[in-house]
Amino acid sequence: MFRPIPALVASFAVLSLVIASGATVIVADMHQQAVQDVERSLVGLSTILADQADRALQAMEVVQEGVIHGFHEANVSTPADYAAAASRMDLHTALKARIAALPQINAITIIDRTGKLLNFSRFWPIPDVNISDRDYFKALAADRGLQRFISEPVQNRGDGAWTIYIARKVTAPDGTFLGLVLGAVELGYFERLYQRIAPTDDTVVSVFRNDGMLLVRYPYRDRVIGKVHPTTGAALIAAKNPSGGVLRNVSPIDGHERLLATQALAGYPLILSISRTAEASLAPFRRQAVVVGASAALLVACIAVLFFLFLRQARTERRMASAEERARGERDLRAQYERFGVALDNMIQGLCLFDADRRVVVMNERFAALYDVPAQLRQPGTRVEDLRPHVLRQQGDNAGGWDMVMMPPMPYASSRSASIVRLSDDREISVLRVLTPGGGWLCTHEDITERRRSEERLRFLARHDALTRLPNRLQFEEFVARELAICADTGEDVALLCLDLDDFKHVNDLFGYPAGDRLLCEVATRLRALLGKRCVAARLGGDEFAVLATGLNGTKTPAVAAQAVLDALSAPYADGERWLDVGCSVGIALFPRDGTTCEKLLSASDMALVRAKKEGKGAYRFFEPTMDAAARERHRLVLDLRAAIGTEQLELHYQPQFDVDSNRACGFEALLRWTHPEHGPIPPVQFIPLAEETGLILPLGEWVLREACREAASWALPLGIAVNLSIAQLGQADLCEVVRTVLEETGLKPERLELEVTESLFLKGSARSQEVLRDLKALGVRISMDDFGTGYSSLVTLQAFPFDKIKIDRSFVSQIGVTSKGGAIVRAIISLGESLDIPVIAEGIETEEQLSFLRQHRCAAIQGYLRGKPRPIAEYRRLIAPIENLRVA
């Protein structure tokens, strides 16, 4: 009666092992799939949100670029012009209208060079606020080459909201720093946006700077914004891969273990991070794992209990019939199988377990539903040979992986690699097979159709414009690079067309942005209709598109292609019951003549587009080398100027200054001249601004100061020598030490040296200027204000610093005898100097009438062509001789 007990024990052990192995494999696969699903979801969402943040910031820079372009078109060249242009109420109204449809923009502010607000999109009249203490102002004011700055998050002085600022520098044509156009992005906008789109409560969306500083976090957390967090997941990913990635770590901010993905913004030094807690994101997996584990454990436990009861019953009821014992065991076993079946049927994967004889042991409902398995093939004991033909009848056109379906894996096959098969109804199934002890195998089948479709959508959005469905800049550049490589081998002609819609802004202004979006979609449709084989069109941003035209020949020339684009895009657009008329301008760059890379061709075609716009719009223009010849010439001139320092190409000319009452020379102004070995004399108005922009003004200024002082120290008479001081020199940390050293080396007395500073230069330096100038006066050097009256606040400047001399600008002197207003201004300046006990010198004296006027109104000194042009000092030896030779005829 008890002979079968060893066999029963072995059977129970094998079954328990199979159940435990199957449950372990299922749980491991479920965990891997759960982690991969969460990571894929986070990567896709981070890509979309990073692109959205990039576009939000680009939209603000478009507004800033428009304001700066407006200043350039208005020929703003001086601080006074800039203040007048920036302080207009119509500009305030325009700024307010421009950002009305851009919720990410808190405000657009226009700042002058001292940090004072000139215009503000949120208020009128403009509040009296100065931001010269902000980091972005200091950085842009100090660094001539820096054009854009993204600030640390700060609390807005207007409403206290946390805000980051993107500052753009405004400069005059000569490079003079005029101020800033400041865009304020309220971080709360991103927090509110991420609040609406956060898929789960445990999701955290953050924006970091590249240095690890946290700018935005949703959910908001106190005292972490604006601080650098070097151990966050975003910082760790950026250290390995700046473009982005995935990671699982413990957040230093909230202490939770998180799965996170990051994506770097394309146009800004920012990183977008999105994460979920491991606990919450893997909660569904844990619930399923608990169900599977509990079911398996319960089944094993029940089998063990059943075995124990069976043995005890066998001992206590030896007389019970073996048939009755067998029936009871079968009933209990069926009950356990039913419980196990409930767990299996609630899995998201279809599962089928086969034994070593290639027969079905377990098949859950999900597996049967995936392949519509009939009832007779679901039963345990069904042979693989009977089940496999039914499954294979549902294979799709792509038969990849079907040869392994319902077959045991090879012993050396990886237990983690899955095969993808496609059904005839286009569903995609992921199949994973694992060998089990005893020669059987377990396979899981999961429907991944929706997941794959979501991944395809995300991949499409990452490389296409979301509105027009055209390729974006990234895909366009890759396509162009491939085509250029092909054409370089074949010698085929290629043209890159950069096109921009004319008057597109009027459509948005008159009919709203939805109408503008519909128009852009229609433009994309027309461009697609024009494209031939191996041609591509892309939307670069706003209303700017690009087209790569290939297959060019004697009939289809670049001009023909461009005219086709103009004709197609200039035709009226139907928008409901109304018609919209917009034009188009096209710039053309040719490969390889105008460039051999996408970047160079885009740059060249953009320059041609600008020329087409300037010449009347609605036309196409080819790129010409002369379009950037000025830039190359400027670069060569800078190199030549650098090489000229310390050579005979540079020399000083001296213009005499005369006392009006005695008509005697009282000093000279030293003026730098450059004779280029190829181009001859270069005007100072051409090379001095270049020197200031490139920093060459520092060695040039020191050379001028040393040469002028050395020359003046050799004169027989102690006449004064005036040297101009630039703003770059005024910001030089060791300027006072340089002047002291030059005076000591040349032996010139400090009171004979006069340093001339313009009022605009003095204003740019602010408090720092006053400090440096006071240190120079402490050396005994005289300080004079040049070009008096051309700045913003001359009287305030005179009150702020005790100047030794005032120099009337030549623009006022030239009006003497021409307009009554010009003479009145000169009289007022002379009277002002007398009241402040400051000598006044007038420059630009060219007529006896001007000299008579100045003598009549008691001007102290004069300087101009009437008494002497800037010449080498050798021509003025009679003026620096003993006093009996100083009188001028």
Side-chain angles (χ1 to χ4, degrees), residues 255-291:
H256 293 297
E257 184 182 17
R258 291 185 169 276
L259 294 169
L260 75 152
T262 66
Q263 180 67 39
L265 269 65
Y268 299 88
L270 304 176
I271 301 172
L272 187 136
S273 168
I274 181 168
S275 67
R276 291 191 62 192
T277 62
E279 180 180 2
S281 58
L282 298 180
F285 152 74
R286 293 192 181 94
R287 289 193 295 269
Q288 293 176 354
V290 168
V291 172

Side-chain angles (χ1 to χ4, degrees), residues 44 181 334 429 432 514 644 782:
V181 176
R334 278 196 302 271
I429 309 298
L432 179 67
R782 293 181 297 161

